[in-house]
Amino acid sequence: MTMKKFMSIVMSRRTGFVLFVLTFFCFCVVVFDSRNRIIEYRSQSIISEENRSIKIQNIVDQRRRDIKHEMENYEFPNGKFCRNISNLDDLLMEKGGRPMRSFLIAGWRTGSSFTSAIINSHPANFYLDEPLQDFGHVRIRGPLLVDAAIKNIHKFFNCEFDKLQHFIDFVKPDQWVYNDNQGLWPHCVNQRDLCSDPIFLTAVCRLYPLQQMKFTRLPLESAQLLLEDKHLGARMILLVRDPRGIMQSRGRLEWCQNSTDCSDPQVLCNDMVSDHKVAVELKKKYPHTFKVVRYEDLSLNPQHKAKEMFEFYGLNFHSNVEKFLDTHTKNNLGDSYSLFRDSKKAPFHWRNDLNFSEVEEIQRVCSTAMKLWGYVLAVNETHQKEFNPIVYNYRRF
Ligand SMILES: *[C@@H]1O[C@H](CO)[C@@H](O)[C@H](O)[C@H]1NC(C)=O
Ligand SMILES: *[C@@H]1O[C@H](CO)[C@@H](O)[C@H](O)[C@H]1NC(C)=O
Ligand SMILES: *[C@@H]1O[C@H](CO)[C@@H](O)[C@H](O)[C@H]1NC(C)=O
Ligand SMILES: *[C@@H]1O[C@H](CO)[C@@H](O)[C@H](O)[C@H]1NC(C)=O
Ligand SMILES: *[C@@H]1O[C@H](CO)[C@@H](O)[C@H](O)[C@H]1NC(C)=O
């Protein structure tokens, strides 16, 4: 072996070694750097997670104080109205209590927003406006759907939003289900993502001594299962309205034309007949937890009927409620969803807005339902514009 050849082998080994060391060094730098970045990224997300939970905690603490304040000097039922409740703790989930729970069973455009708004003008109320909207524009019937709906309703009342991801995702684009929720909406209006956070929804929900919901998709037959549940302890009002008024009001909803459950008066009135049958049974079986209200009666005499509803629920007729009735029953402002209205006229618009052939068409399939619920048939065009469509002494509930 010549010296030259020997040197070149040594050199190439050395080069190889140097290259190896360099590569190793670079590798270490890359690994170290990316580890650093991961650590940095992790700590950032920990900070924002922390910030978020601090923010939620602050809101929850503030709400808890507000609720306590709102319920100061509250007259608890103390055994009246079959409610064995003597202090706030009896109603607080975090103190092992059970909230006073109520819900409204109604259909689309039956006056349910107006009726719910009256109840929701009471302080310290956690209100959800049709939390079954992810079921689509259908009436919920049949064992499978009913079972799913009832399970969801239990989760809502128990504040288990972590088990309601489908609902949370469904309502994400508009979230009107929370619009009238006193505890949620003031925060969601600026930060929509808060109201898609099950941790936030659950924490706020659990603070409330009163819970109220409105369902427009559940026929009474499906909803009655909720009364059987003693643990839930919920009270139910069935809201009834003249099918001619309902159909006239639904005519203004675009989506309604695509849903037979919404646009077909025959479907509506079949439900009203079956609701009547179930209502008669429920009134006997659950005299303290089931009640029927006709929208027309409530609108003609809001003070009196509202008092009756509050007594039924076992709630104070709070000064906020009186204020609400004063400001929301005497004017007529806004669009068709508006709650500022002349309540005495609102249920009867159909008499002028429908023509007689449209009215006849509805009456043709609704006469049984109308008779059961105390609504008078219009006999001709002039009669329709002048008559009083309601019977006062129909079978009362
Ligand atoms: C966390 O909150 C602090 C102070 O409120 C703020 O300065 C910081 O930017 C927040 N960090 C993140 C990651 O949101
Ligand atoms: C009412 O509640 C109290 C205390 O929670 C209990 O001792 C009492 O038995 C209850 N009464 C009725 C009638 O449920
Ligand atoms: C009604 O259905 C039709 C056909 O499926 C669809 O094109 C339309 O967008 C629907 N309208 C509404 C308001 O949902
Ligand atoms: C009644 O109203 C409907 C719908 O607007 C219309 O199609 C019909 O022609 C009207 N009938 C009469 C007799 O005016
Ligand atoms: C409409 O019906 C009323 C009440 O039955 C009746 O008195 C009146 O004569 C009828 N008018 C017309 C134009 O048929």
Side-chain angles (χ1 to χ4, degrees), residues 379-383:
V379 295
N380 60 41
E381 184 114 39
T382 30
H383 183 235

Side-chain angles (χ1 to χ4, degrees), residues 79-147:
K80 270 198 293 182
F81 318 117
C82 297
R83 291 262 199 211
N84 187 12
I85 296 157
S86 55
N87 58 60
L88 187 56
D89 287 359
D90 288 347
L91 300 174
L92 299 181
M93 289 173 98
E94 52 186 13
K95 298 279 170 63
R98 184 178 72 185
M100 283 203 262
R101 295 173 167 144
S102 66
F103 57 94
L104 197 64
I105 292 297
W108 298 293
R109 312 305 292 185
T110 52
S112 60
S113 299
F114 178 61
T115 313
S116 295
I118 295 176
I119 310 291
N120 194 29
S121 61
H122 188 290
N125 187 36
F126 189 85
Y127 173 62
L128 295 176
D129 187 356
E130 180 48 305
L132 298 178
Q133 42 186 283
D134 56 338
F135 284 74
H137 290 134
V138 295
R139 297 279 282 173
I140 296 170
R141 317 168 204 277
L144 276 182
L145 276 185
V146 172
D147 185 55

Side-chain angles (χ1 to χ4, degrees), residues 165-386:
Q165 198 58 48
H166 185 266
F167 161 82
I168 288 174
D169 293 340
F170 185 89
V171 301
K172 201 169 186 168
D174 57 57
Q175 297 187 333
W176 58 256
V177 63
Y178 307 127
N179 273 8
D180 296 316
N181 187 299
Q182 306 162 9
L184 295 175
W185 193 243
H187 304 289
C188 301
V189 72
N190 295 320
Q191 278 176 280
R192 289 311 194 87
D193 62 321
L194 265 184
C195 274
S196 298
D197 182 345
I199 295 175
F200 176 69
L201 295 168
T202 297
V204 173
C205 174
R206 285 178 59 85
L207 297 172
Y208 276 80
L210 268 61
Q211 298 177 328
Q212 182 206 353
M213 291 176 206
K214 170 183 109 184
F215 302 114
T216 50
R217 285 158 172 76
L218 269 191
L220 190 57
E221 182 158 27
S222 313
Q224 63 177 322
L225 292 168
L226 293 165
L227 282 186
E228 285 165 18
D229 191 324
K230 290 277 181 294
H231 288 296
L232 204 59
R235 298 195 176 184
M236 175 205 290
I237 286 181
L238 172 70
L239 185 67
V240 176
R241 184 183 182 185
D242 190 327
R244 294 164 295 192
I246 296 176
M247 291 316 295
Q248 182 260 322
S249 185
R250 286 184 185 177
R252 293 190 262 170
L253 300 176
E254 232 178 87
W255 61 262
C256 184
Q257 312 317 316
N258 275 6
S259 152
T260 339
D261 274 341
C262 182
S263 62
D264 186 347
Q266 175 92 67
V267 175
L268 167 66
C269 287
N270 286 352
D271 271 355
M272 287 181 73
V273 171
S274 113
D275 281 357
H276 188 273
K277 183 159 166 279
V278 179
V280 172
E281 288 164 19
L282 290 183
K283 198 60 220 170
K284 276 191 223 136
K285 213 164 153 192
Y286 305 106
H288 300 297
T289 53
F290 174 69
K291 182 177 176 64
V292 173
V293 171
R294 280 194 314 188
Y295 172 51
E296 290 82 4
D297 298 327
L298 174 64
S299 298
L300 290 173
N301 205 343
Q303 287 278 339
H304 174 76
K305 273 284 159 188
K307 271 195 182 127
E308 217 179 271
M309 293 196 303
F310 276 84
E311 274 193 14
F312 165 73
Y313 283 142
L315 300 174
N316 284 180
F317 198 68
H318 196 274
S319 57
N320 288 13
V321 181
E322 295 197 51
K323 229 178 281 163
F324 176 88
L325 289 173
D326 269 354
T327 48
H328 290 73
T329 57
K330 289 163 188 164
N331 303 302
N332 209 352
L333 306 168
D335 61 14
S336 64
Y337 278 104
S338 173
L339 294 176
F340 290 89
R341 61 177 76 211
D342 181 342
S343 70
K344 288 185 174 43
K345 287 189 192 145
F348 304 113
H349 280 159
W350 66 267
R351 287 193 308 183
N352 293 313
D353 294 356
L354 294 180
N355 62 38
F356 184 61
S357 46
E358 289 171 301
V359 168
E360 264 190 317
E361 189 63 26
I362 297 167
Q363 293 182 166
R364 200 171 51 78
V365 292
C366 287
S367 60
T368 311
M370 288 170 61
K371 191 159 188 228
L372 288 169
W373 289 113
Y375 297 109
V376 182
L377 297 176
V379 295
N380 60 41
E381 184 114 39
T382 30
H383 183 235
Q384 175 191 324
K385 301 237 156 26
E386 291 161 359

Side-chain angles (χ1 to χ4, degrees), residues 150-164:
I150 298 289
K151 280 194 179 129
N152 273 16
I153 292 170
H154 276 100
K155 291 173 201 161
F156 285 113
F157 276 127
N158 290 322
C159 303
E160 297 170 315
F161 283 87
D162 53 323
K163 298 180 186 161
L164 290 160

Side-chain angles (χ1 to χ4, degrees), residues 37-54:
R37 267 192 231 160
I38 287 170
I39 288 168
E40 205 173 291
Y41 174 76
R42 274 219 195 111
S43 63
Q44 242 176 19
S45 75
I46 287 169
I47 290 171
S48 70
E49 267 307 297
E50 248 172 35
N51 277 8
R52 191 180 181 78
S53 58
I54 289 170

